[in-house]
Amino acid sequence: FSTAPEIQVELPGITTVAEFRNAFDSWALGHWPRYTSGLLRSSAIATESDLLQAWSPLPADGRIAILPPVSGG
């Protein structure tokens, strides 16, 4: 995995969060040998100000955050 806080990936034609999850999952499987899909499926997708739902459109600038689940103690 990259340790950079930001990566840029070209996923043409992707317009919703659900489409992003599928496309990014396929991209990551081909680029990161140790990648597993489970973490992406349980992570939230957000913009700078909103959590997005599966049917939500991606922002026009394409900038999103993947927020992995956390557990407290």
Side-chain angles (χ1 to χ4, degrees), residues 2-73:
S2 171
T3 58
E6 182 176 305
I7 63 169
Q8 293 183 16
V9 178
E10 295 289 329
L11 301 171
I14 303 305
T15 61
T16 67
V17 171
E19 291 172 344
F20 164 77
R21 283 184 194 274
N22 290 332
F24 185 79
D25 190 52
S26 293
W27 180 89
L29 285 167
H31 288 83
W32 293 325
R34 297 184 333 185
Y35 171 79
T36 58
S37 300
L39 186 59
L40 180 62
R41 281 193 299 269
S42 59
S43 295
I45 307 296
T47 64
E48 288 185 17
S49 60
D50 296 306
L51 284 175
L52 303 175
Q53 303 298 320
W55 61 86
S56 298
L58 294 175
D61 65 5
R63 294 178 57 96
I64 58 170
I66 300 171
L67 309 172
V70 295
S71 112

